[in-house]
């Protein structure tokens, strides 16, 4: 297989500058792929898929009636990010997470940003993820968002834009780590020659981030990962990360509050827990503080947290910065708290709570992607240019009924990467989700989850909507420079 007939079709391609002209950092990979004997790349693709299957790399689709677990599709042609591009991403994400942390702390304390008129008060209080119970809370070390997954897209102009912030319980990092293991075995010589930055130490860094939050400076803290259980779509990731970090994977029924502390049931009796990486949404975390019907959480844990006797990551209430309406204000948030312009721009966004912007969106639904403010996974959205008149009409009624819940963005010509289709390569659209840890300092994993819209022409990359993944290679240097 070669790239002689590969057509970029006018899109920004991550591997090719133009027809049959690889970008500087991708030449080693392209040369190697084209030098493989006939049929060899397909054998490597099947071997990689078999390896991921045997490793049990799966996810769950709630709406799928045919089965709850699926293998995450994987394409062995990696996406390559050159050092200059990565520098901007890294600097931009550090700036963004730093500012969002200050924002969250402010809205649960003095609310200066509201008083100064930067964020409308009604936007804050009408957000589903604003938690009144979190007012006045002081999380350990003053950090709210410890683990973030920020979705980036590259438009036809070659620039990266932030599409979404995910600060509640971002998923996908386990696929990054597993994909890397498989691809290092698939192309060992190319991988080494390309000088790809490592991602393998992420579990170690995540554990250090969590241990940094330890209350009372306990020298040997007990850290646990709290999962909703096997029916959660990200259960594979929960168990994978717990195993990689060497910590306990627990469900709510495994924990109990007693004498003002949180304890874990073990075969040797109760053991005090100091830090919990919780993968349960706020409202299910503690039935005595949030949803009284929740069976997933731990009664009384929020009181222990408020008393500073257990640390929770991410901190409850962090989701307010995850609200897609708040997202529209992030450039202003960055400017307000840091005095700097955003290094990574947002995709232009219309907020439907504003009457004028709502009318504009309703009159141009065929041109915009409309998203619900607190949905994720590709649910609750309308891709206007690809939708029919009936679907647009139904969505218009939803916007009119609850304008606060919707934003609209112009369709971005997402960049593309070659994927293997039968016996040749075709371009497919991708996004990128890097992962950021905020502990003693802010760390951006050099890589991230490249999600691929496997259906030709589709812009929806979510795994729950038929998307797949690729390994992301961030280069130390461009070969030859």
């Amino acid at each position: 297989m070669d790239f002689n007939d590969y057509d970029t079709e006018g899109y920004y391609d991550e591997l090719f500058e133009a027809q049959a002209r690889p970008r500087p950092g991708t030449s080693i990979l392209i040369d190697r792929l084209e030098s493989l004997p006939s049929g060899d790349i397909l054998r490597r693709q099947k071997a990689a898929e078999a390896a991921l299957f045997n490793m049990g790399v799966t996810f769950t689709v709630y709406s799928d009636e045919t089965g709850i677990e699926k293998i995450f599709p994987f394409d062995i042609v990696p996406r390559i990010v050159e050092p200059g591009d990565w520098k901007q991403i890294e600097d931009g994400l550090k700036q963004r997470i730093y500012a969002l942390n200050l924002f969250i702390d402010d809205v649960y304390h003095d609310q200066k940003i509201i008083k100064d008129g930067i964020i409308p008060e009604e936007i804050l209080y009408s957000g589903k993820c604003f938690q009144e119970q979190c007012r006045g809370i002081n999380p350990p070390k003053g950090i709210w968002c410890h683990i973030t997954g920020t979705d980036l897209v590259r438009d036809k102009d070659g620039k990266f834009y932030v599409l979404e912030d995910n600060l509640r319980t971002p998923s996908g990092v386990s696929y990054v780590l597993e994909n890397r293991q498989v691809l290092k075995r698939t192309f060992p010589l190319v991988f080494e020659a390309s000088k790809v930055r490592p991602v393998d130490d992420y579990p170690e860094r995540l554990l250090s981030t969590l241990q940094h939050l330890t209350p009372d400076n306990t020298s040997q803290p007990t850290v646990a990962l709290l999962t909703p259980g096997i029916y959660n779509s990200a259960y594979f990731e929960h168990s994978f990360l717990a195993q990689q970090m060497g910590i306990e994977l627990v469900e709510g029924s495994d924990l109990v509050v007693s004498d003002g502390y949180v304890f874990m049931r073990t075969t040797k009796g109760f053991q005090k827990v100091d830090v919990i990486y919780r993968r349960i949404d706020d409202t299910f975390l503690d039935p005595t503080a949030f949803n009284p019907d929740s069976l997933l959480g731990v009664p009384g844990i929020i009181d222990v947290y408020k008393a500073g006797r257990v640390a929770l990551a991410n901190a409850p209430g962090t989701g307010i910065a995850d609200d897609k309406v708040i997202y529209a204000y992030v450039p202003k948030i960055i400017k307000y708290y840091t005095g700097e312009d955003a290094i990574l721009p947002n995709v232009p966004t219309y907020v439907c709570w504003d009457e004028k912007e709502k009318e504009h969106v309703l009159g141009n639904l065929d041109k915009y992607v409309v998203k619900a403010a607190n949905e994720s996974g590709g649910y609750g959205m309308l891709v206007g240019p690809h939708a029919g008149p009936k679907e647009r009409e139904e969505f218009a009624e939803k916007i009119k009924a609850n304008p606060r819940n919707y934003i609209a963005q112009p369709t971005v010509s997402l960049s593309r990467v070659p994927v293997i289709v039968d016996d040749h390569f075709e371009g497919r659209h991708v996004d990128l989700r890097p992962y950021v840890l905020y502990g003693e300092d802010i760390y951006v994993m050099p890589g991230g989850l490249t999600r691929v819209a496997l259906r030709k022409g589709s812009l929806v990359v979510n795994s729950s909507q038929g998307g797949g993944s690729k390994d992301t290679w961030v280069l130390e240097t461009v070969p030859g420079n």
Side-chain angles (χ1 to χ4, degrees), residues 190-232:
V190 180
F191 183 84
E192 186 173 351
S194 296
K195 299 189 183 307
V196 182
R197 294 181 62 182
V199 298
D200 315 73
D201 61 349
Y202 180 84
E204 183 183 340
R205 290 178 179 273
L206 174 59
L207 181 59
S208 295
T209 299
L210 297 170
Q211 289 173 330
H212 178 68
L213 307 176
T214 305
D216 305 326
N217 296 317
T218 303
S219 59
Q220 292 186 318
T222 298
V223 183
L225 191 154
L226 175 60
T227 175
I230 61 170
Y231 296 108
N232 185 268

Side-chain angles (χ1 to χ4, degrees), residues 205-269:
R205 290 178 179 273
L206 174 59
L207 181 59
S208 295
T209 299
L210 297 170
Q211 289 173 330
H212 178 68
L213 307 176
T214 305
D216 305 326
N217 296 317
T218 303
S219 59
Q220 292 186 318
T222 298
V223 183
L225 191 154
L226 175 60
T227 175
I230 61 170
Y231 296 108
N232 185 268
S233 63
Y235 182 74
F236 164 77
E237 175 153 303
H238 303 165
S239 58
F240 174 85
L241 289 177
Q243 188 270 334
Q244 292 289 308
M245 288 190 286
I247 64 174
E248 294 294 332
L249 179 68
V250 297
E251 298 184 22
S253 57
D254 297 319
L255 301 176
V256 63
V257 170
S258 178
D259 295 331
Y261 291 89
V262 178
F263 292 89
M264 173 173 62
R265 292 184 172 89
T266 76
T267 55
K268 297 178 181 177

Side-chain angles (χ1 to χ4, degrees), residues 365-376:
L365 273 180
D366 58 332
K367 300 181 180 65
Y368 291 113
V369 176
V370 184
K371 299 175 182 177
N374 290 288
E375 294 283 357
S376 60

Side-chain angles (χ1 to χ4, degrees), residues 26-63:
T26 68
S27 296
I28 295 175
L29 173 70
I30 301 299
D31 290 346
R32 177 57 177 154
L33 290 175
E34 292 190 322
S35 71
L36 293 173
S38 177
D40 193 74
I41 192 167
L42 294 177
R43 283 193 289 274
R44 294 183 188 223
Q45 173 69 37
K46 288 180 180 176
E49 290 172 354
L52 290 169
F53 180 82
N54 291 332
M55 291 154 70
V57 181
T58 63
F59 71 103
T60 301
V61 179
Y62 295 128
S63 58

Side-chain angles (χ1 to χ4, degrees), residues 160-461:
F160 280 100
Y161 294 83
V162 176
L163 187 64
E164 288 184 10
D165 298 292
N166 298 283
L167 290 89
R168 282 176 285 179
T169 52
S171 293
V173 73
S174 58
Y175 302 124
V176 177
L177 300 173
E178 296 284 55
N179 288 350
R180 175 59 55 86
Q181 290 301 314
V182 169
L183 214 57
K184 281 170 75 173
R185 294 200 293 269
T186 304
F187 298 119
L189 298 180
V190 180
F191 183 84
E192 186 173 351
S194 296
K195 299 189 183 307
V196 182
R197 294 181 62 182
V199 298
D200 315 73
D201 61 349
Y202 180 84
E204 183 183 340
R205 290 178 179 273
L206 174 59
L207 181 59
S208 295
T209 299
L210 297 170
Q211 289 173 330
H212 178 68
L213 307 176
T214 305
D216 305 326
N217 296 317
T218 303
S219 59
Q220 292 186 318
T222 298
V223 183
L225 191 154
L226 175 60
T227 175
I230 61 170
Y231 296 108
N232 185 268
S233 63
Y235 182 74
F236 164 77
E237 175 153 303
H238 303 165
S239 58
F240 174 85
L241 289 177
Q243 188 270 334
Q244 292 289 308
M245 288 190 286
I247 64 174
E248 294 294 332
L249 179 68
V250 297
E251 298 184 22
S253 57
D254 297 319
L255 301 176
V256 63
V257 170
S258 178
D259 295 331
Y261 291 89
V262 178
F263 292 89
M264 173 173 62
R265 292 184 172 89
T266 76
T267 55
K268 297 178 181 177
F270 288 109
Q271 179 180 349
K272 185 165 75 74
V273 179
D274 303 295
V275 183
I276 298 174
Y277 178 22
R278 53 100 180 189
R279 298 293 296 257
I280 294 179
D281 286 345
D282 288 351
T283 52
F284 295 99
L285 193 54
D286 181 346
T288 66
F290 298 107
N291 180 357
D293 297 325
S294 173
L295 300 176
L296 300 176
V298 184
I301 195 171
I302 292 297
D303 285 340
V304 183
Y305 176 66
K306 286 181 177 178
R309 293 172 177 165
V310 70
L312 298 173
N314 286 336
T318 305
I320 187 58
D322 202 319
D323 186 313
K324 292 181 177 61
V325 178
I326 296 293
Y327 155 89
Y329 291 88
V330 172
K332 291 182 179 178
I333 290 172
I334 292 172
K335 187 75 173 178
Y336 181 76
Y337 291 110
T338 70
E340 302 168 354
D341 293 325
I343 296 171
L344 286 170
N346 275 15
V347 174
T349 303
Y350 293 92
V351 288
C352 294
W353 74 271
D354 180 283
E355 188 65 24
K356 190 175 176 182
E357 295 190 16
K358 181 187 75 175
E359 291 305 317
H360 175 77
V361 171
L362 289 174
N364 295 275
L365 273 180
D366 58 332
K367 300 181 180 65
Y368 291 113
V369 176
V370 184
K371 299 175 182 177
N374 290 288
E375 294 283 357
S376 60
Y379 295 102
M381 65 185 289
L382 173 84
V383 182
H386 295 176
K390 184 180 179 185
E391 194 179 357
R392 289 200 289 268
E393 191 176 319
E394 289 173 353
F395 231 85
E397 294 304 314
K398 292 180 182 177
I399 295 171
K400 291 174 188 173
N402 185 10
R404 164 61 177 84
N405 195 43
Y406 291 96
I407 65 164
Q409 297 170 323
T411 307
V412 178
S413 294
L414 302 186
S415 61
R416 300 200 321 184
V417 182
V419 302
I420 300 169
V421 178
D422 299 327
D423 60 351
H424 62 286
F425 298 105
E426 288 184 10
R428 292 290 186 271
H429 296 291
V430 291
D431 76 351
L432 175 63
R433 176 178 290 183
Y435 294 87
V436 187
L437 299 177
Y438 193 168
E440 195 164 2
D441 52 20
I442 300 177
Y443 164 77
V444 182
M445 172 202 266
L449 183 64
T450 288
R451 299 185 298 180
V452 189
L454 290 175
R455 287 197 297 271
K456 189 172 185 177
S458 174
L459 298 172
V460 182
V461 298

